[in-house]
PDB file of all heavy atoms in Angstrom:
ATOM      1  N   GLU A 726      44.750  91.484 -18.044  1.00  0.00           N
ATOM      2  CA  GLU A 726      44.045  91.473 -19.322  1.00  0.00           C
ATOM      3  C   GLU A 726      44.234  92.826 -19.979  1.00  0.00           C
ATOM      4  O   GLU A 726      43.890  93.858 -19.393  1.00  0.00           O
ATOM      5  CB  GLU A 726      42.548  91.262 -19.109  1.00  0.00           C
ATOM      6  CG  GLU A 726      42.143  89.861 -18.749  1.00  0.00           C
ATOM      7  CD  GLU A 726      40.692  89.842 -18.329  1.00  0.00           C
ATOM      8  OE1 GLU A 726      39.819  89.743 -19.209  1.00  0.00           O
ATOM      9  OE2 GLU A 726      40.439  89.967 -17.121  1.00  0.00           O
ATOM     10  N   ALA A 798      40.154 102.810 -11.726  1.00  0.00           N
ATOM     11  CA  ALA A 798      40.484 102.667 -10.301  1.00  0.00           C
ATOM     12  C   ALA A 798      40.869 104.005  -9.690  1.00  0.00           C
ATOM     13  O   ALA A 798      41.411 104.884 -10.362  1.00  0.00           O
ATOM     14  CB  ALA A 798      41.627 101.669 -10.139  1.00  0.00           C
ATOM     15  N   SER A 821      67.992 103.293  -9.450  1.00  0.00           N
ATOM     16  CA  SER A 821      66.702 103.052  -8.809  1.00  0.00           C
ATOM     17  C   SER A 821      66.802 102.779  -7.314  1.00  0.00           C
ATOM     18  O   SER A 821      65.792 102.740  -6.638  1.00  0.00           O
ATOM     19  CB  SER A 821      65.927 101.946  -9.535  1.00  0.00           C
ATOM     20  OG  SER A 821      66.774 100.953 -10.016  1.00  0.00           O
ATOM     21  N   ARG A 923      57.123  80.757  -6.205  1.00  0.00           N
ATOM     22  CA  ARG A 923      56.057  81.476  -5.517  1.00  0.00           C
ATOM     23  C   ARG A 923      54.767  81.527  -6.322  1.00  0.00           C
ATOM     24  O   ARG A 923      53.809  82.173  -5.903  1.00  0.00           O
ATOM     25  CB  ARG A 923      56.513  82.915  -5.257  1.00  0.00           C
ATOM     26  CG  ARG A 923      57.626  83.007  -4.232  1.00  0.00           C
ATOM     27  CD  ARG A 923      58.217  84.396  -4.248  1.00  0.00           C
ATOM     28  NE  ARG A 923      59.083  84.593  -3.099  1.00  0.00           N
ATOM     29  CZ  ARG A 923      58.891  85.544  -2.193  1.00  0.00           C
ATOM     30  NH1 ARG A 923      57.898  86.382  -2.303  1.00  0.00           N
ATOM     31  NH2 ARG A 923      59.717  85.667  -1.187  1.00  0.00           N
ATOM     32  N   GLY A 959      59.572  78.158 -27.159  1.00  0.00           N
ATOM     33  CA  GLY A 959      60.257  77.063 -27.838  1.00  0.00           C
ATOM     34  C   GLY A 959      60.166  77.142 -29.352  1.00  0.00           C
ATOM     35  O   GLY A 959      60.943  76.504 -30.066  1.00  0.00           O
TER      36      GLY A 959
END
Side-chain angles (χ1 to χ4, degrees):
Chain A
E726 285 170 85
S821 36
R923 291 168 168 239

